[in-house]
């Protein structure tokens, strides 16, 4: 079942990465400005933030099996409509459709882990499913312009059709491996909280602020990094390769590091990752491989750790647990996609207004430093001391 979730999440990341790699090509073919392309890239996040809370309710009502298959089908439909786009409104529609399926995966994956894993295996499972979107995005960024486009005759439209097929295949795999008897949690022992009570929990409020800023940073880079690198002087193919570096490093980091994110370390570890993200982005306009390489590695490692730590904090909050994880996840991703909408749009707007990406990069750096200060001052008190300290007291 974890492999099935991973496959669906891979398709999720593959469509994001393929579109990002094709941004210059699509923009030229449809005669779009950077600002218009930024609006298109931010459309799915707008739908996502509206759909995230209903997605949590849908998962609780109809179950993970149907919900995640619907998610895979929606991703395939989004890729197909993007492939058929001939103007900005049709591209907006294709991207927007993605926002209806994405939250079912983002909320469903941690719900599955909360139900079926405990303790160290839970931290490892969060790391494993987290590599799905990262690996999908990295594969697409590195291979779209250099491998996939030549295979489909240079057509960006057929490249997106291939991604649609990958998503449908992932959905069928998920259905094939799903088991109703896999849950090992004590879900029935915990009451289901209304959203108002969840929002009153200090840890949830801190997580929502972190979600907005982290998604602002992450979605801005996911959609614009190839263009940032091209504008700095790298070729389209080189930019695709470079843009895949932080994502590939993120795959490794997501597999290895979450198991060390024990409760007592999470606030400090998250603060460090936020600072590293903010500093590293300042070097993304460099034309020197010696400078760009460590910056991309640092950014990929740091950015990949933010989401797993946030999910672990929510899963291990005693008043949330597996029963309330879908609802808490829905709130988290709703807040996050406010930043997810603003990130790509603001990046494209600032680039148009200033003639380059320097102001956008500084904006991303400042956002991450503010989040680091918030985490350092508020998260430790929100999650409280580790259980052993509480018991000793």
């Amino acid at each position: 079942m974890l492999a099935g979730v991973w496959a669906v999440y891979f398709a999720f990341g593959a469509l994001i990465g393929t579109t990002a790699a094709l941004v210059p090509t699509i923009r030229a073919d449809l005669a779009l400005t950077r600002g218009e392309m930024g609006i298109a890239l931010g459309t799915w996040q707008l739908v996502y933030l509206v759909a995230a809370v209903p997605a949590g309710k849908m998962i609780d009502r109809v179950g993970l099996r149907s919900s995640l298959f619907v998610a895979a089908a929606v991703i395939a439909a989004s890729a197909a409509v993007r492939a058929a786009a001939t103007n900005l409104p049709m591209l907006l529609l294709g991207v927007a459709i993605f926002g209806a399926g994405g939250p079912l995966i983002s909320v469903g994956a941690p719900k599955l882990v909360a139900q079926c894993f405990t303790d160290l295996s839970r931290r490892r499972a969060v790391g494993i499913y987290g590599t799905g979107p990262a690996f999908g995005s990295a594969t697409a960024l590195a291979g779209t312009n250099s491998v996939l486009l030549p295979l489909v005759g240079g057509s960006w439209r057929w490249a997106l059709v291939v991604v649609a097929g990958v998503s449908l295949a992932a959905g069928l795999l998920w259905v094939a491996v799903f088991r109703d008897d896999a849950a090992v949690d004590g879900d029935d022992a915990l009451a289901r909280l209304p959203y108002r009570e969840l929002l009153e929990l200090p840890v949830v409020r801190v997580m929502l602020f972190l979600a907005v800023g982290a998604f602002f940073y992450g979605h801005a880079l996911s959609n614009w990094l190839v263009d940032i690198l091209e504008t700095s002087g790298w070729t389209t193919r080189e930019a695709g390769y470079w843009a895949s570096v932080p994502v590939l490093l993120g795959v490794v980091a997501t597999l290895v590091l979450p198991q060390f994110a024990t409760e007592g370390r999470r606030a400090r570890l998250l603060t460090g990752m936020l600072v590293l993200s903010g500093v590293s982005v300042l070097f993304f306009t460099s034309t020197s491989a010696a400078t760009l390489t460590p910056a991309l590695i640092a950014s990929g490692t740091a950015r990949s750790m933010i989401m797993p730590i946030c999910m672990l904090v929510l899963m291990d909050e005693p008043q949330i647990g597996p029963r309330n994880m879908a609802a808490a996840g829905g709130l988290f991703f709703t807040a996050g996609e406010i930043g997810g909408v603003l990130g790509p749009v603001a990046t494209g707007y600032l680039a148009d207004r200033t003639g380059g990406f320097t102001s956008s990069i500084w904006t991303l750096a400042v956002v991450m430093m503010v989040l680091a200060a918030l985490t350092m001052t508020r998260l430790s008190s929100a999650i409280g001391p580790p259980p052993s300290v509480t018991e000793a007291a």
Side-chain angles (χ1 to χ4, degrees), residues 189 258 304 331 337 363:
S304 69
L331 289 172
E337 289 306 342
T363 299

Side-chain angles (χ1 to χ4, degrees), residues 5-283:
V5 169
W6 187 96
V8 176
Y9 233 152
F10 175 91
F12 175 94
L15 183 52
I16 293 175
T18 301
T19 303
L22 293 171
V23 161
T25 304
I26 296 173
R27 192 164 65 84
D29 193 25
L30 301 184
L32 304 176
T33 67
R34 283 195 178 98
E36 289 172 331
M37 194 69 194
I39 292 172
L41 295 172
T43 303
W44 74 264
Q45 292 94 325
L46 184 62
V47 177
Y48 191 118
L49 73 89
V50 176
V53 169
K57 293 181 178 179
M58 177 178 172
I59 290 170
D60 283 335
R61 180 169 298 179
V62 306
L64 286 168
R65 185 176 187 270
S66 298
S67 298
L68 288 178
F69 178 74
V70 168
V74 170
I75 292 171
S78 173
V81 175
R82 296 182 202 199
T86 56
N87 50 41
L88 179 59
M90 195 166 180
L91 181 63
L92 287 171
L93 175 62
V95 177
I97 291 171
F98 186 78
L104 291 170
I105 309 172
S106 302
V107 176
K111 171 74 172 180
L112 174 72
V113 171
Q115 286 185 170
C116 300
F117 297 88
T118 58
D119 302 327
L120 178 59
S121 67
R122 175 176 289 178
R123 300 199 296 272
R124 289 175 174 166
V126 167
I128 290 170
Y129 86 67
T131 67
F135 194 70
S137 181
T139 302
L141 285 168
T144 296
N145 290 304
S146 58
V147 178
L148 183 55
L149 278 180
L151 287 176
V152 295
S155 170
W156 63 268
R157 300 179 188 278
W158 278 107
L160 289 169
V161 171
V162 170
V163 177
V166 169
S167 184
L168 284 176
L172 292 173
L173 173 64
W174 162 252
V175 171
V177 300
F178 181 83
R179 288 173 47 204
D180 284 317
D181 60 347
V184 296
D185 64 278
D187 204 27
D188 293 334
L190 188 65
R192 182 163 289 160
L193 298 178
Y195 286 101
R196 177 182 56 80
E197 293 186 23
L198 283 173
L199 287 170
E200 291 175 354
L201 298 176
V203 67
V204 171
R205 292 199 295 268
V206 174
M207 287 295 105
L208 297 187
F209 280 110
L210 285 175
V212 174
F215 277 54
F216 183 99
Y217 177 93
H219 284 294
L221 289 182
S222 295
N223 287 288
W224 285 107
L225 184 53
V226 172
D227 214 3
I228 290 171
L229 295 171
E230 276 196 52
T231 303
S232 300
W234 302 97
T235 68
T236 300
R237 181 170 293 188
E238 289 171 337
Y241 284 134
W242 280 119
S244 69
V245 170
V247 189
L248 287 171
L249 265 294
V251 171
V252 178
T254 305
L255 271 176
V256 175
L257 297 180
Q259 61 185 306
F260 299 107
T262 57
E263 192 170 351
R265 297 173 178 167
R266 286 172 190 166
R268 296 193 302 272
L269 184 58
L270 187 54
T271 300
M273 295 300 102
L274 292 167
V275 170
L276 190 57
S277 297
V279 172
S280 60
V281 74
L282 296 174
F283 298 93

Side-chain angles (χ1 to χ4, degrees), residues 317-331:
E317 168 60 33
Q319 297 182 72
I320 295 177
R323 177 171 286 274
N324 291 296
M325 191 58 209
L331 289 172

